[in-house]
Amino acid sequence: MVNRPAIGRWALVAIAVAMLPAGIQAAFTPRTFFDDFPLGRGWISVGDATYDEHLVRDVGALFIALIIVTVWAAWKQQAMAAVAIAWLVQGVLHLVYHLGHLEQLDRADQVGLVISLTAVPVLALVTLWASTPYAGGVT
């Protein structure tokens, strides 16, 4: 028997855990986030990107806020589909942007970027699937 609600909760928790380091780094150490994210690879500062402390801190704060709502939804088992839709929109738009700028990265970073940015929309879709009532009676 598949426990769809549990799968949806764990998918949201996985998104929150995966996004928390980026949110904290962007909000509290914006320059290192811009220059070094992830793990010294510099995916954000590549090319002709211009550093804007205000913008980076705001992105971090928004990630942290969305992570808090995500954890709350998973814990309370409420509004999970709505939170998943928010992550799906963020994740797809983020992925689409970066797919148009891959030429600025070497092959290993291109692969790493695409895989890492695909994870959030996939996990959001898992949550949406898990949140959809199943007519066959399996929950």
Side-chain angles (χ1 to χ4, degrees), residues 47-131:
D48 61 352
T50 303
Y51 175 69
D52 183 330
E53 180 181 357
H54 178 198
L55 182 60
V56 175
R57 284 186 188 274
D58 281 357
V59 167
L62 288 169
F63 274 155
I64 292 169
L66 189 50
I67 289 163
I68 291 167
V69 170
T70 302
V71 170
W72 179 87
W75 178 45
K76 292 292 190 175
Q77 299 178 46
Q78 295 177 354
M80 291 187 352
V83 171
I85 290 169
W87 280 115
L88 183 61
V89 169
Q90 183 278 335
V92 168
L93 292 175
H94 194 188
L95 176 61
V96 167
Y97 172 81
H98 283 287
L99 287 174
H101 297 86
L102 290 175
E103 71 281 350
Q104 300 172 349
L105 300 170
D106 65 30
R107 181 68 63 200
D109 283 324
Q110 290 174 354
V111 171
L113 180 72
V114 171
I115 290 171
S116 66
L117 292 182
T118 302
V120 168
V122 167
L123 289 167
L125 287 171
V126 167
T127 300
L128 288 173
W129 165 81
S131 299

Side-chain angles (χ1 to χ4, degrees), residues 27-42:
F28 298 108
T29 58
R31 187 71 212 202
T32 62
F33 179 79
F34 180 83
D35 290 339
D36 302 328
F37 186 84
L39 304 171
R41 301 302 296 176

Side-chain angles (χ1 to χ4, degrees), residues 12 18 30 43 45 47 73 109 114:
L12 284 181
W43 290 354
S45 62
D109 283 324
V114 171

